[in-house]
């Protein structure tokens, strides 16, 4: 791709890979709204999404559906509508943020965590819910009622089981290979249970798409509005790739692992554009609410520290 200006890059990105509107609102809620208190007026969201090609009607429809699905709560003040991240949805945003902004490379002690739900121990609805939630966290189903991951976050696993009311209905254990017994090594489960080729291709596609940006951002005087659009498209695309990454320890992944390069690229771009992007965010949010707070400490710690 020839060298593009920020305006041209945004237009090209939106034309070649247009984001789904509802999913884009979720990205903005997690990346932009959560650090500023977790609430927004509808007019502010309309203003924020305008440079990303999302019109008034589509914003309203997307926000309405997110309320129906339990992601947002709604209230009214006169003719204005205000929304906030639903408290029950906060753990999902927090889990996503840990995946997005933390460096890959989990330490691993060689043991695997298994979640066991023998036949008859839980009903089909709970089994389906647990499978969906655990697969989102990178677990693989080895057989009916048996899911495994080499290095899950314990707090996340505990939260999933508690929220699903399954903590006392399934078995959770850690296992490792027995020394001295002839058997297949546990790391071979990676090739059996996860389609890492698709994840590799997704990361490489992300790198190809966003590789021109660091040089462009260092050279060009990008406007706050364009910096916000770039930051949002960056996190939206990176989040989509990570949804399919089981977040396995580096010791179990093929090398070189493109997820490490993708994270470094996302970190560099985010650091280059975040300050200008925040100028735009605060200008838009404070149009509707002058008391909107600045970004919180968790925001400043993203990608290892935004002032680094």
């Amino acid at each position: 791709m020839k060298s593009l200006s920020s305006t041209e890059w945004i237009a090209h990105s939106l034309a070649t890979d247009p984001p789904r509107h509802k999913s884009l609102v979720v990205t903005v809620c997690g990346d932009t709204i959560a650090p500023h208190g977790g609430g927004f007026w509808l007019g502010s969201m309309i203003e924020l999404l305008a440079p990303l090609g999302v019109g008034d009607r589509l914003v309203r429809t997307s926000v309405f559906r997110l309320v129906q699905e339990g992601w947002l709560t709604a209230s009214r003040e006169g003719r204005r509508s205000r929304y906030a991240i639903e408290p029950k949805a906060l753990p999902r945003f927090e889990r996503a943020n840990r995946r997005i902004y933390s460096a890959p490379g989990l330490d691993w002690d060689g043991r695997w965590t298994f979640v066991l739900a023998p036949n008859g121990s839980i009903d089909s609805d709970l089994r389906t819910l647990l499978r969906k939630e655990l697969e989102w966290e990178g677990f693989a189903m080895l057989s009916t009622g048996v899911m495994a991951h080499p290095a899950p976050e314990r707090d996340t696993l505990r939260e999933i089981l508690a929220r699903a009311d399954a903590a006392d209905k399934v078995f959770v254990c850690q296992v490792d290979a027995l020394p001295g017994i002839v058997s297949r090594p546990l790391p071979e489960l990676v090739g059996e249970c996860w389609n890492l080729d698709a994840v590799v291709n997704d990361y490489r596609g992300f790198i190809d798409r966003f590789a021109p940006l660091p040089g462009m951002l260092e050279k060009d005087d990008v406007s706050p509005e364009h910096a916000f659009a770039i930051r949002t498209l960056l996190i939206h695309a990176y989040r989509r790739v990570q949804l399919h990454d089981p977040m396995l320890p580096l010791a179990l992944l093929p090398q070189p692992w493109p997820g490490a390069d993708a994270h470094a690229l996302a970190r560099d771009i985010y650091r280059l554009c975040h300050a200008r992007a925040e100028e735009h965010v605060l200008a838009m949010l404070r149009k509707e609410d002058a008391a909107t707070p600045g970004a919180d400490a968790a925001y400043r710690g993203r990608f290892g520290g935004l002032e680094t």
Side-chain angles (χ1 to χ4, degrees):
M1 182 187 296
K2 69 179 181 68
S3 179
L4 300 177
S5 68
S6 60
T7 304
E8 292 170 330
W9 185 91
I10 292 167
H12 176 79
S13 184
L14 290 172
T16 56
D17 188 16
R20 291 186 300 134
H21 305 123
K22 187 177 72 171
S23 181
L24 189 62
V25 173
V26 172
T27 296
V28 171
C29 285
D31 185 64
T32 300
I33 301 300
H36 294 281
F40 62 93
W41 294 95
L42 180 61
S44 297
M45 185 63 74
I46 290 171
E47 294 265 16
L48 285 170
L49 291 180
L52 292 165
V54 186
D56 181 321
R57 181 181 61 81
L58 290 172
V59 174
R60 292 175 187 275
T61 300
S62 298
V63 169
F64 175 74
R65 288 177 178 169
L66 290 171
V67 171
Q68 289 184 311
E69 294 171 10
W71 289 92
L72 300 173
T73 61
S75 60
R76 292 190 66 84
E77 183 178 298
R79 299 181 62 183
R80 297 196 305 165
S81 298
R82 181 169 177 79
Y83 299 87
I85 297 173
E86 163 64 53
K88 291 182 180 178
L90 280 173
R92 292 187 177 186
F93 281 104
E94 291 165 356
R95 280 153 47 194
N97 287 349
R98 284 196 295 271
R99 289 169 65 114
I100 293 168
Y101 307 113
S102 299
L106 299 170
D107 293 330
W108 188 50
D109 61 6
R111 293 192 288 179
W112 290 61
T113 296
F114 279 57
V115 178
L116 310 174
N119 286 337
S121 61
I122 59 176
D123 62 37
S124 60
D125 289 342
L126 180 54
R127 190 180 298 275
T128 300
L129 173 63
L130 281 180
R131 178 176 179 175
K132 178 181 178 181
E133 290 285 343
L134 291 174
E135 284 182 340
W136 195 87
E137 287 300 322
F139 276 76
M141 176 168 280
L142 304 186
S143 63
T144 302
V146 181
M147 301 196 71
H149 193 285
E153 287 193 358
R154 289 191 179 187
D155 289 343
T156 297
L157 178 56
R158 186 181 298 111
E159 183 268 322
I160 289 172
L161 295 178
R163 180 159 45 81
D165 194 25
D168 59 350
K169 299 174 183 176
V170 298
F171 301 93
V172 180
C173 59
Q174 285 192 316
V175 303
D176 55 16
L178 289 176
I181 295 181
V182 178
S183 65
R184 296 178 65 184
L186 281 174
E188 289 188 10
L189 279 174
V190 172
E192 299 268 340
C193 298
W194 286 278
N195 178 11
L196 294 180
D197 289 343
V199 179
V200 166
N201 289 335
D202 286 346
Y203 274 129
R204 287 175 177 165
F206 172 86
I207 292 168
D208 289 344
R209 177 181 174 187
F210 287 90
L213 284 177
M216 183 189 75
L217 290 167
E218 288 173 346
K219 288 189 307 181
D220 295 351
D221 184 20
V222 178
S223 70
E225 181 181 274
H226 287 168
F228 168 75
I230 289 169
R231 188 183 78 175
T232 302
L233 290 172
L234 171 78
I235 295 303
H236 187 69
Y238 191 52
R239 180 173 71 90
R240 282 192 304 167
V241 175
Q242 285 215 318
L243 284 175
H244 303 288
D245 186 343
M247 307 301 285
L248 303 177
L250 284 178
L252 295 176
L253 293 171
Q255 298 299 323
W257 178 242
D261 292 336
H263 177 84
L265 177 61
R267 177 199 64 205
D268 293 345
I269 296 170
Y270 204 92
R271 288 177 176 175
L272 285 167
C273 67
H274 87 93
R276 300 304 305 275
E278 279 297 289
E279 291 179 29
H280 182 67
V281 169
L282 286 174
M284 296 302 100
L285 294 181
R286 287 175 176 170
K287 271 188 178 183
E288 298 277 351
D289 183 357
T292 298
D296 59 19
Y299 170 85
R300 296 190 294 275
R302 290 176 175 178
F303 289 111
L306 295 179
E307 303 309 321
T308 302

